[in-house]
């Protein structure tokens, strides 16, 4: 059996940075350390943090005063920061610089009276934090169809969740042009995401099965699965080695492997070892 | 034979305004009146102006000092205006307000350091005047293919000739998004143009032959011809009644008629009368 890894695999820059910051805090901080939701959308990494003493809280109310909190790589909202300040929490903000950029652009567009269209997943923390950053008319679009009902606006600013697909984003922009006099589009999709998606797409045309390794909650991982499936190749999304099924493979198969941006190398290695164990 | 006129036909707002201004000047001005190139791209109207005493000059050098000049509805360039001032010409500027808007947007984008992409015909006076308005990096794109060689720019501003097709404009914007971090698109296509094109498209699906009446130099007329032909209907572009050919028609035909934005009603009526003469 032949296994080919995607050229773009493992932690992205933003995740790597967030994980490093969190690990340092967990080693050096003497008091209790809380994480506000998932630092990154990978269960194994979150389990590792918990083993090292981190506690997970899903809102600020749960956290005792004066504690240390580490906030998500996907960003924290201004209202959460305000609440944290009221409770005198020591905030370690691990926001990815690319996500921060989207928040800044959103703020700029709001200040300049653009109607803001955000291409993203309504329930994703990155989008929730952006919506909380701007205090004005804005709409989150999950797919082109959501645009049908949109009214005409003199000026529209368009931004995207960092992990969206560039071609889908282009389609959104295509339909928006007739709804406005000025369409100002910021390409806020992170370049590493675009590269990772392109590599997965390229690989999926050369293999018999694609394995996408990453958290079930991870937006960028789900997008990789979607891209490979759209290419027509048999694709399995697994979070853990235990989910692997012997019957997915055949000895003569070429297996392609890619991962979400928050999947650690050790999980990828474990998956490869398991397949090798079966088929070598 | 059935003849159906397009819902949008005859002079557009900008042409009507320019023709009215010119007629008034020709009646009231006592000295020689020059037109700088074609006021509008319609030969019959230009012939009418010449009969009323207007002289046509193709550059400022030809015009005697202190004369009155009427400049094009498609706009006059800043360098032409400077030359005119040197010769103490009295300038009657008939620029269409929508064309003026494109010049203003181009200037704004240039001042704000955008690389400017203009979707338009390189040799059209509207585009030449815009290119002369901005003194910086800019590129005129006539079709999507022209974008292939385009380099990456941090900020791109996109504008269009007022008479371009909105769907082609969308395609241009689609390809530009990957060439930049910020794409700022102004929908400078005049709404009357978009409506006229949509009406022609609608009509062309209901008839056996489409007649598009308008100047051979008229960009918006050429676009109408293109749109009808792309729809698969037999389409004839005529400038004058004399160009009509008896053999194009059959008694059982339904004939669709549309016109460019600079075609006067009297020319359209003449064409209809000629067909009626043959086939009634």
């Amino acid at each position: 059996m032949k296994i080919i890894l995607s050229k773009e695999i493992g932690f992205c820059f933003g995740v790597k940075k967030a994980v490093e910051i969190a690990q340092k805090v967990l080693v050096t901080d003497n008091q209790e350390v809380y994480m506000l939701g998932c630092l990154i959308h990978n269960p194994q990494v979150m389990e590792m943090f918990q083993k090292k003493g981190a506690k997970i809280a899903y809102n600020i109310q749960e956290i005792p005063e004066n504690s240390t909190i580490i906030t998500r790589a996907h960003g924290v909202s201004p209202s959460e920061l305000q609440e944290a300040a009221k409770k005198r929490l020591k905030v370690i903000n691990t926001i990815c610089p690319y996500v921060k950029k989207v928040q800044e652009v959103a703020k700029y567009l709001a200040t300049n009276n653009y109607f803001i269209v955000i291409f993203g997943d309504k329930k994703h923390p990155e989008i929730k934090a952006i919506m909380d950053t701007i205090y004005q008319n804005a709409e989150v679009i999950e797919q082109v169809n959501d645009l049908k009902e949109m009214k005409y606006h003199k000026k529209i600013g368009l931004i995207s969740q960092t992990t969206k697909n560039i071609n889908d984003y282009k389609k959104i922009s295509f339909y928006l042009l007739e709804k406005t006099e000025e369409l100002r589009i910021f390409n806020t999709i992170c370049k590493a995401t675009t590269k990772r998606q392109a590599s997965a797409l390229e690989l999926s045309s050369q293999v018999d099965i694609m394995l996408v390794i990453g958290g079930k909650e991870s937006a960028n991982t789900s997008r990789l699965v979607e891209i490979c499936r759209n290419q027509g190749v048999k694709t399995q999304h697994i979070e853990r080695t235990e989910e692997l099924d012997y019957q997915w493979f055949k000895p003569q198969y070429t297996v392609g492997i890619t991962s979400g941006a928050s999947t650690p190398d050790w999980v990828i290695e474990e998956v490869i070892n398991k397949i090798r164990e079966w088929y070598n």
Side-chain angles (χ1 to χ4, degrees), chain A:
Chain A
M1 175 177 293
K2 199 176 165 193
I3 295 176
I4 309 177
L5 296 191
S6 175
K7 281 176 208 151
E8 308 289 330
I9 199 164
F11 281 173
C12 70
F13 164 76
V15 167
K16 206 174 161 196
K17 187 176 149 277
V19 169
E20 279 170 5
I21 294 172
Q23 278 180 316
K24 207 171 156 192
V25 173
L26 284 166
V27 171
T28 56
D29 214 303
N30 295 323
Q31 59 188 351
E32 279 201 324
V33 174
Y34 285 81
M35 287 189 172
L36 187 60
C38 287
L39 183 89
I40 60 171
H41 282 142
N42 183 272
Q44 291 99 325
V45 175
M46 292 310 293
E47 285 159 18
M48 176 200 77
F49 285 139
Q50 283 170 296
K51 274 184 201 149
K52 289 188 175 181
K55 300 197 168 184
I56 317 291
Y58 286 92
N59 56 60
I60 304 279
Q61 286 78 37
E62 298 173 28
I63 304 171
E65 292 206 350
N66 298 308
S67 308
T68 296
I69 65 160
I70 307 179
T71 62
R72 292 173 292 260
H74 304 108
V76 59
S77 70
S79 59
E80 284 171 320
L81 285 177
Q82 272 171 14
E83 279 184 72
K86 273 187 211 157
K87 293 188 92 167
R88 290 181 296 282
L89 302 181
K90 181 183 166 193
V91 178
I92 312 289
N93 193 337
T94 72
I95 188 170
C96 161
Y98 300 120
V99 174
K100 197 175 174 195
K101 175 82 190 290
V102 192
Q103 289 189 356
E104 283 165 358
V105 171
K107 226 167 170 173
Y108 171 83
L109 289 169
T111 314
N112 287 279
N113 303 316
Y114 285 84
F115 179 81
I116 303 176
V117 178
I118 306 165
F119 177 40
D121 307 320
K122 285 175 186 156
K123 292 181 182 164
H124 196 279
E126 183 179 327
I127 297 303
K128 284 185 181 169
I130 292 170
M131 288 301 277
D132 196 54
T133 305
I134 49 180
Y135 303 101
Q136 74 147 32
N137 285 345
E139 203 165 320
V140 181
I141 296 297
E142 295 194 335
Q143 51 187 349
V144 172
N145 271 349
D146 296 348
L147 289 172
K148 278 187 183 154
E149 301 296 310
M150 183 163 286
K151 286 183 195 152
Y152 188 91
H153 296 274
K154 205 170 152 58
K155 304 199 296 182
I156 293 180
L158 177 62
I159 52 179
S160 171
Q161 190 172 334
T162 51
T163 50
K164 282 285 183 187
N165 179 264
I166 184 81
N167 289 320
D168 294 338
Y169 194 40
K170 283 177 176 179
K171 279 179 207 153
I172 303 278
S173 76
F174 196 92
Y175 285 93
L176 272 180
L177 193 57
E178 261 177 295
K179 306 272 188 189
T180 187
E181 219 168 274
E182 183 197 334
L183 178 61
R184 196 164 178 184
I185 313 169
F186 287 84
N187 187 355
T188 53
I189 296 173
C190 132
K191 289 196 182 58
T193 296
T194 303
K195 269 193 189 168
R196 187 180 294 255
Q197 290 175 356
S199 300
L201 186 69
E202 195 193 332
L203 182 56
S204 64
S205 68
Q206 303 161 18
V207 299
D208 299 295
I209 182 171
M210 275 298 287
L211 279 187
V212 182
I213 312 170
K216 296 278 159 75
E217 295 294 311
S218 158
N220 82 83
T221 306
S222 307
R223 212 89 59 218
L224 290 171
V225 174
E226 204 182 296
I227 286 167
C228 297
R229 284 197 181 137
N230 286 346
Q231 181 78 344
V233 70
K234 197 170 119 186
T235 304
Q236 297 291 353
H237 176 188
I238 56 164
E239 203 169 70
R240 299 169 186 275
T241 314
E242 296 76 50
E243 292 170 50
L244 277 175
D245 185 337
Y246 181 84
Q247 297 194 334
W248 290 344
F249 310 97
K250 284 180 182 162
Q252 71 275 23
Y253 267 14
T254 299
V255 180
I257 296 184
T258 185
S259 86
S262 48
T263 307
D265 290 347
W266 87 74
V267 174
I268 301 166
E269 278 164 28
E270 230 182 66
V271 169
I272 296 170
N273 290 339
K274 187 75 203 170
I275 303 173
R276 286 257 170 264
E277 207 177 278
W278 285 339
Y279 285 91
N280 235 1

